């Protein structure tokens, strides 16, 4: 199952374990069970601390449980955790085997103190780049707290269960049978939902922090670069972000980050955070900025108010809030989001295997999504508002070669239809004739670009008609002392490497601003 190179790497990782573990497999005669057995045999052969048993009796087959010696239960995977989830499997092995999770000590204490019993089930797909963050977070909970149980289920391997549970997006998490959440969730966000007082305690602790020289709002490539460049100047630097990595966490293959021939979004995001922490930057995750309050006088302190109720003071601010997927803003879209309306074909595509879907948008993202989905679904209908597709010619040529793809141009989506539980179709208007048409569909993938996360800045910072933060060549905004970088700004070409470079510029401009401030009396 694993090649020799991977076996060697795995052997080196597993040598760090300090406790014995047992893999208890529940298998049948199917091909996927055969693959799972091969994977588990390869893993067990790499460490004398690992024992493999094939006498599991779990109803889900194939599945396996990772149990620490002396415990009566552990972390369970149902299906084959390969693809993006292979890292989750390795971490589960290490952490069950006694290797401490790389999280803050206060989070460890918080997890251990959680009262009550929790039974979590996470549905994932191997191609989902967001899922590992969620799977790994719940695995950490289960490793540290014996009253928490977690099962990670590959939706593609258990189609009947996915249908019965009405799972139409990954990751979807259920707690004791009821939906707990869907989409990206950080460990901090999960704990805030489980621990009713966590958000208030965190807000209180953040509000007590000393004044930052530079406060960076946003943790994507621009925010990370700004924080690193500021910290290298020896000044007190902080970052507030809902999740570190931003859009990068939702990105599949990255092949144009200079000097790195190939990487993946979550891997790059983890590297960005680790690099930022190396400089002692105070990172406050799970925090969303709600307002920036300018000082009463030039050179005074800014106050960044957070949705949690906390307020952070700083001498200067670098804004890098990034962007989010643009919505169609038609009836039914919000109602059926995660119930057939999706924004990540790599994540949710496998859940629509053998079913008809539509892709909205004829740019590169839309055409790439249609090409990917054509290999999974029964039929893909690509709908474009303009009179022609806008994607690169090579992508259009590939699209046209696929037999199960149809393209409709000059079409305006007007409504998403559903039966209360899931999407059943959409309506669109022919922009040439005005005629209305309806398509019967199982899923709709929206790929119509991005919108900047700048709503909280309205009335404080000058924004463009598209909502982008207006910046000059020095990344200065309309408010002295506030700088901006990344996809939320007017800088053209929204690319990771450009965002990182702009973040560095913004930090250097902030430092220049600080050294020119009049010294405090």
């Amino acid at each position: 199952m694993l090649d020799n190179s991977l076996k060697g790497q795995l052997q080196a990782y597993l040598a760090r374990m300090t406790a014995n573990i047992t893999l208890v497999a529940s298998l049948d005669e199917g091909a996927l069970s055969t693959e799972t057995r091969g994977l588990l045999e390869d893993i067990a052969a790499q460490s004398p601390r690992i024992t493999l048993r094939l006498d599991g009796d779990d109803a889900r087959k194939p599945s396996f449980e990772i149990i620490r010696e002396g415990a009566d239960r552990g972390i369970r995977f149902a299906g084959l955790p390969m693809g993006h989830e292979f890292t989750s499997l390795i971490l589960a092995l290490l952490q069950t085997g006694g290797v401490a999770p790389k999280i803050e000590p206060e989070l460890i204490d918080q997890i251990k103190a959680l009262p009550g019993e929790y039974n979590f089930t996470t549905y994932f797909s191997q191609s989902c780049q967001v899922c590992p963050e969620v799977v790994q977070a719940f695995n950490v909970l289960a490793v540290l707290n014996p009253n928490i149980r977690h099962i990670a289920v590959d939706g593609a391997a258990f189609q009947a269960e996915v249908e019965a549970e009405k799972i139409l997006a990954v990751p979807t998490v259920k707690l004791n049978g009821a939906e707990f959440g869907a989409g990206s969730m950080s460990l901090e966000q999960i704990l805030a939902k489980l621990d009713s007082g966590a958000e208030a305690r965190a807000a209180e602790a953040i509000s007590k922090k000393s004044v930052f020289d530079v406060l960076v709002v946003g943790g994507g490539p621009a925010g990370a670069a700004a924080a690193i460049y500021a910290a290298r100047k020896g000044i007190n630097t902080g970052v507030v972000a809902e999740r570190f990595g931003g859009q990068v966490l939702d990105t599949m293959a990255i092949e144009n980050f200079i000097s790195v021939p190939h990487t993946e979004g979550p891997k790059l995001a983890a590297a960005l955070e680790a690099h930022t922490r190396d400089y002692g930057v105070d990172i406050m995750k799970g925090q969303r900025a709600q307002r920036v309050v300018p000082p009463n006088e030039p050179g005074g302190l800014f106050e960044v108010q957070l949705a949690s109720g906390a307020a952070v003071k700083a001498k200067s601010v670098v804004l890098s809030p990034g962007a989010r997927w643009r919505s169609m803003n038609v009836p039914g879209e919000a109602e059926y989001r995660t119930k057939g309306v999706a924004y990540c074909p790599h994540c949710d595509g496998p859940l629509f295997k053998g079913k008809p879907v539509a892709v909205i948008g004829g740019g590169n993202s839309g055409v790439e999504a249609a090409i990917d989905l054509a290999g999974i679904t029964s039929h893909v209908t690509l709908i474009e508002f303009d009179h022609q597709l806008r994607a690169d010619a090579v992508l259009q040529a590939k699209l046209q070669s696929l037999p199960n793809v149809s393209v409709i141009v000059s079409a305006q989506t007007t409504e998403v239809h559903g039966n209360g539980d899931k999407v059943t179709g959409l309506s669109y208007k022919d922009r040439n004739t005005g005629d209305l048409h309806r398509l019967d569909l199982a899923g709709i993938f929206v790929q119509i670009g991005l919108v900047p996360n700048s709503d909280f800045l309205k009335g404080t910072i000058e924004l463009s008609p598209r909502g982008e933060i207006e910046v000059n060549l020095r990344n200065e905004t309309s408010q002295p002392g506030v700088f901006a970088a990344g996809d939320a700004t007017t800088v053209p070409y929204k690319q990771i490497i450009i965002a990182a470079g702009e973040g560095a510029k913004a930090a250097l401009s902030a430092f220049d601003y600080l050294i020119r401030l009049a010294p405090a009396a």
Side-chain angles (χ1 to χ4, degrees), residues 280-298:
V281 174
D282 189 341
I283 298 176
M284 295 159 274
K285 293 195 290 186
Q287 299 295 326
R288 177 169 55 86
Q290 195 166 323
R291 189 182 176 205
V292 177
V293 181
N296 293 324
E297 56 186 12

PDB file of all heavy atoms in Angstrom, residues 280-298:
ATOM      1  N   GLY A 280       7.823  35.305  17.817  1.00  0.00           N
ATOM      2  CA  GLY A 280       7.185  35.733  19.054  1.00  0.00           C
ATOM      3  C   GLY A 280       5.954  36.591  18.854  1.00  0.00           C
ATOM      4  O   GLY A 280       5.538  37.317  19.769  1.00  0.00           O
ATOM      5  N   VAL A 281       5.351  36.536  17.681  1.00  0.00           N
ATOM      6  CA  VAL A 281       4.138  37.316  17.417  1.00  0.00           C
ATOM      7  C   VAL A 281       2.982  36.760  18.245  1.00  0.00           C
ATOM      8  O   VAL A 281       2.804  35.544  18.345  1.00  0.00           O
ATOM      9  CB  VAL A 281       3.791  37.275  15.915  1.00  0.00           C
ATOM     10  CG1 VAL A 281       2.455  37.952  15.649  1.00  0.00           C
ATOM     11  CG2 VAL A 281       4.897  37.937  15.101  1.00  0.00           C
ATOM     12  N   ASP A 282       2.205  37.640  18.827  1.00  0.00           N
ATOM     13  CA  ASP A 282       1.033  37.240  19.616  1.00  0.00           C
ATOM     14  C   ASP A 282      -0.124  36.979  18.646  1.00  0.00           C
ATOM     15  O   ASP A 282      -0.715  37.908  18.100  1.00  0.00           O
ATOM     16  CB  ASP A 282       0.668  38.354  20.603  1.00  0.00           C
ATOM     17  CG  ASP A 282      -0.400  37.923  21.597  1.00  0.00           C
ATOM     18  OD1 ASP A 282      -1.115  36.939  21.326  1.00  0.00           O
ATOM     19  OD2 ASP A 282      -0.537  38.579  22.646  1.00  0.00           O
ATOM     20  N   ILE A 283      -0.440  35.704  18.423  1.00  0.00           N
ATOM     21  CA  ILE A 283      -1.497  35.329  17.475  1.00  0.00           C
ATOM     22  C   ILE A 283      -2.780  35.029  18.249  1.00  0.00           C
ATOM     23  O   ILE A 283      -2.812  34.150  19.112  1.00  0.00           O
ATOM     24  CB  ILE A 283      -1.087  34.109  16.640  1.00  0.00           C
ATOM     25  CG1 ILE A 283       0.155  34.436  15.798  1.00  0.00           C
ATOM     26  CG2 ILE A 283      -2.235  33.664  15.739  1.00  0.00           C
ATOM     27  CD1 ILE A 283       0.698  33.254  15.014  1.00  0.00           C
ATOM     28  N   MET A 284      -3.838  35.763  17.924  1.00  0.00           N
ATOM     29  CA  MET A 284      -5.140  35.584  18.568  1.00  0.00           C
ATOM     30  C   MET A 284      -6.114  35.035  17.532  1.00  0.00           C
ATOM     31  O   MET A 284      -6.698  35.784  16.743  1.00  0.00           O
ATOM     32  CB  MET A 284      -5.628  36.928  19.137  1.00  0.00           C
ATOM     33  CG  MET A 284      -4.746  37.464  20.259  1.00  0.00           C
ATOM     34  SD  MET A 284      -4.897  39.264  20.529  1.00  0.00           S
ATOM     35  CE  MET A 284      -3.695  39.884  19.333  1.00  0.00           C
ATOM     36  N   LYS A 285      -6.256  33.698  17.504  1.00  0.00           N
ATOM     37  CA  LYS A 285      -7.108  33.049  16.508  1.00  0.00           C
ATOM     38  C   LYS A 285      -8.553  32.973  16.990  1.00  0.00           C
ATOM     39  O   LYS A 285      -8.840  33.108  18.171  1.00  0.00           O
ATOM     40  CB  LYS A 285      -6.575  31.655  16.196  1.00  0.00           C
ATOM     41  CG  LYS A 285      -5.237  31.670  15.486  1.00  0.00           C
ATOM     42  CD  LYS A 285      -4.905  30.331  14.864  1.00  0.00           C
ATOM     43  CE  LYS A 285      -4.598  29.275  15.889  1.00  0.00           C
ATOM     44  NZ  LYS A 285      -4.140  28.009  15.253  1.00  0.00           N
ATOM     45  N   GLY A 286      -9.445  32.727  16.032  1.00  0.00           N
ATOM     46  CA  GLY A 286     -10.861  32.649  16.355  1.00  0.00           C
ATOM     47  C   GLY A 286     -11.471  33.995  16.692  1.00  0.00           C
ATOM     48  O   GLY A 286     -12.512  34.070  17.342  1.00  0.00           O
ATOM     49  N   GLN A 287     -10.836  35.072  16.215  1.00  0.00           N
ATOM     50  CA  GLN A 287     -11.287  36.422  16.531  1.00  0.00           C
ATOM     51  C   GLN A 287     -11.586  37.181  15.231  1.00  0.00           C
ATOM     52  O   GLN A 287     -10.742  37.264  14.354  1.00  0.00           O
ATOM     53  CB  GLN A 287     -10.224  37.182  17.334  1.00  0.00           C
ATOM     54  CG  GLN A 287      -9.874  36.537  18.669  1.00  0.00           C
ATOM     55  CD  GLN A 287     -11.040  36.534  19.635  1.00  0.00           C
ATOM     56  OE1 GLN A 287     -11.862  37.452  19.655  1.00  0.00           O
ATOM     57  NE2 GLN A 287     -11.110  35.505  20.459  1.00  0.00           N
ATOM     58  N   ARG A 288     -12.790  37.734  15.136  1.00  0.00           N
ATOM     59  CA  ARG A 288     -13.194  38.482  13.946  1.00  0.00           C
ATOM     60  C   ARG A 288     -13.305  39.965  14.271  1.00  0.00           C
ATOM     61  O   ARG A 288     -13.989  40.345  15.227  1.00  0.00           O
ATOM     62  CB  ARG A 288     -14.544  37.958  13.429  1.00  0.00           C
ATOM     63  CG  ARG A 288     -15.092  38.718  12.226  1.00  0.00           C
ATOM     64  CD  ARG A 288     -16.268  37.978  11.617  1.00  0.00           C
ATOM     65  NE  ARG A 288     -17.314  37.721  12.597  1.00  0.00           N
ATOM     66  CZ  ARG A 288     -18.281  38.581  12.910  1.00  0.00           C
ATOM     67  NH1 ARG A 288     -18.315  39.789  12.342  1.00  0.00           N
ATOM     68  NH2 ARG A 288     -19.207  38.262  13.784  1.00  0.00           N
ATOM     69  N   ALA A 289     -12.608  40.788  13.490  1.00  0.00           N
ATOM     70  CA  ALA A 289     -12.663  42.241  13.692  1.00  0.00           C
ATOM     71  C   ALA A 289     -14.044  42.761  13.314  1.00  0.00           C
ATOM     72  O   ALA A 289     -14.617  42.366  12.296  1.00  0.00           O
ATOM     73  CB  ALA A 289     -11.595  42.933  12.857  1.00  0.00           C
ATOM     74  N   GLN A 290     -14.559  43.650  14.151  1.00  0.00           N
ATOM     75  CA  GLN A 290     -15.890  44.202  13.929  1.00  0.00           C
ATOM     76  C   GLN A 290     -15.861  45.703  13.654  1.00  0.00           C
ATOM     77  O   GLN A 290     -16.746  46.233  12.989  1.00  0.00           O
ATOM     78  CB  GLN A 290     -16.763  43.917  15.163  1.00  0.00           C
ATOM     79  CG  GLN A 290     -18.241  44.103  14.949  1.00  0.00           C
ATOM     80  CD  GLN A 290     -19.052  43.479  16.080  1.00  0.00           C
ATOM     81  OE1 GLN A 290     -18.706  42.431  16.611  1.00  0.00           O
ATOM     82  NE2 GLN A 290     -20.123  44.134  16.469  1.00  0.00           N
ATOM     83  N   ARG A 291     -14.820  46.372  14.150  1.00  0.00           N
ATOM     84  CA  ARG A 291     -14.736  47.811  13.940  1.00  0.00           C
ATOM     85  C   ARG A 291     -13.320  48.284  14.252  1.00  0.00           C
ATOM     86  O   ARG A 291     -12.658  47.760  15.151  1.00  0.00           O
ATOM     87  CB  ARG A 291     -15.732  48.535  14.849  1.00  0.00           C
ATOM     88  CG  ARG A 291     -15.877  50.022  14.564  1.00  0.00           C
ATOM     89  CD  ARG A 291     -16.829  50.670  15.531  1.00  0.00           C
ATOM     90  NE  ARG A 291     -16.911  52.114  15.331  1.00  0.00           N
ATOM     91  CZ  ARG A 291     -17.252  52.984  16.263  1.00  0.00           C
ATOM     92  NH1 ARG A 291     -17.568  52.577  17.475  1.00  0.00           N
ATOM     93  NH2 ARG A 291     -17.298  54.284  15.997  1.00  0.00           N
ATOM     94  N   VAL A 292     -12.843  49.287  13.495  1.00  0.00           N
ATOM     95  CA  VAL A 292     -11.579  49.953  13.785  1.00  0.00           C
ATOM     96  C   VAL A 292     -11.897  51.382  14.199  1.00  0.00           C
ATOM     97  O   VAL A 292     -12.463  52.150  13.410  1.00  0.00           O
ATOM     98  CB  VAL A 292     -10.635  49.940  12.572  1.00  0.00           C
ATOM     99  CG1 VAL A 292      -9.356  50.717  12.883  1.00  0.00           C
ATOM    100  CG2 VAL A 292     -10.299  48.507  12.165  1.00  0.00           C
ATOM    101  N   VAL A 293     -11.552  51.720  15.432  1.00  0.00           N
ATOM    102  CA  VAL A 293     -11.845  53.059  15.960  1.00  0.00           C
ATOM    103  C   VAL A 293     -10.568  53.896  15.896  1.00  0.00           C
ATOM    104  O   VAL A 293      -9.578  53.579  16.561  1.00  0.00           O
ATOM    105  CB  VAL A 293     -12.344  52.998  17.412  1.00  0.00           C
ATOM    106  CG1 VAL A 293     -12.668  54.394  17.921  1.00  0.00           C
ATOM    107  CG2 VAL A 293     -13.571  52.086  17.509  1.00  0.00           C
ATOM    108  N   PRO A 294     -10.555  54.954  15.086  1.00  0.00           N
ATOM    109  CA  PRO A 294      -9.355  55.794  14.967  1.00  0.00           C
ATOM    110  C   PRO A 294      -9.105  56.575  16.261  1.00  0.00           C
ATOM    111  O   PRO A 294     -10.013  56.767  17.081  1.00  0.00           O
ATOM    112  CB  PRO A 294      -9.687  56.738  13.804  1.00  0.00           C
ATOM    113  CG  PRO A 294     -10.883  56.150  13.136  1.00  0.00           C
ATOM    114  CD  PRO A 294     -11.632  55.402  14.189  1.00  0.00           C
ATOM    115  N   PRO A 295      -7.873  57.063  16.446  1.00  0.00           N
ATOM    116  CA  PRO A 295      -7.565  57.866  17.634  1.00  0.00           C
ATOM    117  C   PRO A 295      -8.239  59.236  17.570  1.00  0.00           C
ATOM    118  O   PRO A 295      -8.611  59.715  16.496  1.00  0.00           O
ATOM    119  CB  PRO A 295      -6.042  57.999  17.588  1.00  0.00           C
ATOM    120  CG  PRO A 295      -5.690  57.817  16.138  1.00  0.00           C
ATOM    121  CD  PRO A 295      -6.696  56.854  15.590  1.00  0.00           C
ATOM    122  N   ASN A 296      -8.392  59.839  18.720  1.00  0.00           N
ATOM    123  CA  ASN A 296      -8.996  61.177  18.795  1.00  0.00           C
ATOM    124  C   ASN A 296      -8.057  62.261  18.304  1.00  0.00           C
ATOM    125  O   ASN A 296      -8.495  63.363  17.963  1.00  0.00           O
ATOM    126  CB  ASN A 296      -9.432  61.478  20.225  1.00  0.00           C
ATOM    127  CG  ASN A 296     -10.572  60.575  20.665  1.00  0.00           C
ATOM    128  OD1 ASN A 296     -11.444  60.240  19.866  1.00  0.00           O
ATOM    129  ND2 ASN A 296     -10.557  60.166  21.927  1.00  0.00           N
ATOM    130  N   GLU A 297      -6.773  61.961  18.305  1.00  0.00           N
ATOM    131  CA  GLU A 297      -5.780  62.952  17.879  1.00  0.00           C
ATOM    132  C   GLU A 297      -4.683  62.253  17.093  1.00  0.00           C
ATOM    133  O   GLU A 297      -4.459  61.048  17.281  1.00  0.00           O
ATOM    134  CB  GLU A 297      -5.189  63.674  19.093  1.00  0.00           C
ATOM    135  CG  GLU A 297      -4.568  62.739  20.112  1.00  0.00           C
ATOM    136  CD  GLU A 297      -4.119  63.472  21.360  1.00  0.00           C
ATOM    137  OE1 GLU A 297      -4.484  64.639  21.521  1.00  0.00           O
ATOM    138  OE2 GLU A 297      -3.370  62.872  22.144  1.00  0.00           O
ATOM    139  N   PRO A 298      -4.002  62.953  16.198  1.00  0.00           N
ATOM    140  CA  PRO A 298      -2.937  62.340  15.403  1.00  0.00           C
ATOM    141  C   PRO A 298      -1.884  61.689  16.297  1.00  0.00           C
ATOM    142  O   PRO A 298      -1.461  62.254  17.308  1.00  0.00           O
ATOM    143  CB  PRO A 298      -2.350  63.522  14.623  1.00  0.00           C
ATOM    144  CG  PRO A 298      -3.467  64.519  14.552  1.00  0.00           C
ATOM    145  CD  PRO A 298      -4.208  64.381  15.846  1.00  0.00           C
TER     146      PRO A 298
END
